[in-house]
Amino acid sequence: MTRSFVTAGRILSGRGAAVGLAAEIVQRGRAVLLVHGARGERAAWLVRDLEAAGARVARVAVAAEPDVALVEAAAATARDHGAEVVVALGGGAAIDAGKAAAALAPAPGGPMAHLEVVGEGRPLEADPLPFVAVPTTAGTGAEVTRNAVISVPDARRKVSLRDDRMLADLAVVDPALTDGCPAGVTLASGLDAVTQVIEPYLSSGAGPLTDALARDAIPRGLAALVRLMETEDAGARDAMAHVSLAGGLCLTNAGLGAVHGLAGPVGGLSGAPHGAICGALLPHVLEANAAAGAAPGRIAEIRGWIAATTGPDLAGWARRHGLPGLGEMGLARAAMAGAAEAAEGSSSMRSNPVRLDRATLLACLDAAA
């Protein structure tokens, strides 16, 4: 079988990797669109460094997971500013918003021309602007993925804008930027990161390169997450940043599975954070795959890694540390059947190791509620 492995043009990783970031950015352009999280003061250091390096900086704040209106506005800001490079500094929402803005700013059509499932799904008609991704949470691995997840309120769905050219020119993964992240965010994003190495390990698209990354990252991520629920620990932050990066590499090249297949519709219906949804679903989808006979050897490995860290009841461990159920996140039981139906057509579901029917998907949602 012929395989390909794609990722960002360059990856800088390790504690201190963000030192000198402004110099890296201005090499790509001096008119900079900086996309960051809701708290603009957390990006002040980078604005100062960029301006000291001679850059002109326009800013877009992302207070929640991006929707169509936000990415259209961000792309318009990039055009109005004459942006030569887009930089995203923040969690997965900011990175996805920045990635989408870089892709759409030169594009003659809006996002609906290119979005999967609810849009036309057309390839981009122009190359994106150069894009630099700098995560401040350890979860999505979005710094090395070729898609941006966008909420479409009219369709009550979260779907992807996807193109190989959307891979970042530069990804900078500095665990120091995640230090002191609140416990609730650490838990949800960390479970997302773990999910994104477990699902590619079980995926029908798994291969030797992604297997090597996932096999190392799954137990490492579980152990680090347990440690961070006990105390702030730089070594555990370093480990989670690595696991998140590995997850982005794995999912881009091997695909995901039913957790993410369900997470898109659930996120669109509830507005809940993506990582928390994945964390709530993971134990139940894992059991559904096991019951369907999927990859028994690999599932046994994963169960062993879970038992050695969180204990065998991952769902109970997550609940004890504050992860809410899907019902608490806003998913009404009456909406679950529609979410299960929508999940069947998602791109992530195609790489689940076995087909899970609608009744099984509905049972997973019910168990995670």
Side-chain angles (χ1 to χ4, degrees):
M1 179 184 293
T2 300
R3 297 183 183 275
S4 67
F5 191 95
V6 298
T7 189
R10 184 175 174 217
I11 301 170
L12 293 175
S13 64
R15 190 162 286 266
V19 175
L21 176 59
E24 291 277 356
I25 293 167
V26 298
Q27 288 178 16
R28 293 161 172 81
R30 292 185 178 272
V32 179
L33 177 68
L34 176 59
V35 180
H36 55 72
R39 294 174 56 194
E41 64 270 20
R42 296 189 67 182
W45 65 274
L46 184 53
V47 174
R48 286 194 301 268
D49 289 355
L50 284 168
E51 290 177 343
R56 295 185 297 108
V57 183
R59 299 169 66 168
V60 170
V62 178
E65 292 180 359
D67 61 13
V68 169
L70 187 145
V71 299
E72 286 180 323
T77 299
R79 288 190 291 268
D80 293 344
H81 184 60
E84 298 167 322
V85 57
V86 177
V87 180
L89 173 73
I95 292 176
D96 276 355
K99 196 184 305 181
L104 293 171
M112 296 306 295
H114 307 291
L115 286 173
E116 297 176 343
V117 184
V118 301
E120 297 174 44
R122 299 203 315 255
L124 296 172
E125 296 166 12
D127 289 340
L129 294 174
F131 177 59
V132 178
V134 190
T136 61
T137 62
T140 67
E143 65 274 10
V144 290
T145 62
R146 55 187 161 194
N147 69 300
V149 180
I150 309 298
S151 177
V152 184
D154 290 346
R156 303 192 73 189
R157 292 288 298 273
K158 290 181 183 178
V159 297
S160 280
L161 175 67
R162 189 187 310 271
D163 193 289
D164 283 356
R165 291 169 292 174
M166 290 172 62
L167 286 160
D169 296 84
L170 174 66
V172 179
V173 182
D174 186 340
L177 298 177
T178 73
D179 287 348
C181 188
V185 175
T186 297
L187 178 62
S189 60
L191 287 168
D192 190 20
V194 168
T195 301
Q196 290 180 171
V197 283
I198 287 177
E199 288 207 294
Y201 191 52
L202 297 176
S203 165
S204 59
L209 286 174
T210 57
D211 282 354
L213 288 164
R215 199 175 282 119
D216 168 78
I218 296 167
R220 188 191 296 212
L222 288 163
L225 190 53
V226 167
R227 177 66 175 160
L228 288 168
M229 290 300 98
E230 297 168 349
T231 187
E232 181 66 23
D233 183 280
R237 293 286 183 195
D238 292 355
M240 284 308 308
H242 169 81
V243 172
S244 180
L245 173 61
L249 295 169
C250 287
L251 74 89
T252 297
N253 291 285
L256 288 162
V259 173
H260 280 80
L262 287 163
V266 170
L269 289 163
S270 68
H274 172 77
I277 294 169
C278 290
L281 285 167
L282 174 62
H284 309 294
V285 171
L286 189 61
E287 290 309 307
N289 277 326
R298 294 190 176 211
I299 286 181
E301 281 184 288
I302 292 164
R303 284 172 163 167
W305 291 324
I306 290 171
T309 49
T310 67
D313 181 11
L314 176 59
W317 177 86
R319 287 292 187 101
R320 288 194 299 275
H321 286 87
L323 187 76
L326 296 181
E328 297 168 82
M329 296 183 209
L331 180 67
R333 288 193 179 273
M336 288 183 181
E341 180 181 4
E344 290 183 300
S346 72
S347 57
S348 292
M349 199 65 75
R350 291 196 292 268
S351 50
N352 200 66
V354 292
R355 181 183 178 276
L356 300 180
D357 62 25
R358 194 178 303 177
T360 301
L361 296 174
L362 184 58
C364 290
L365 292 170
D366 186 66

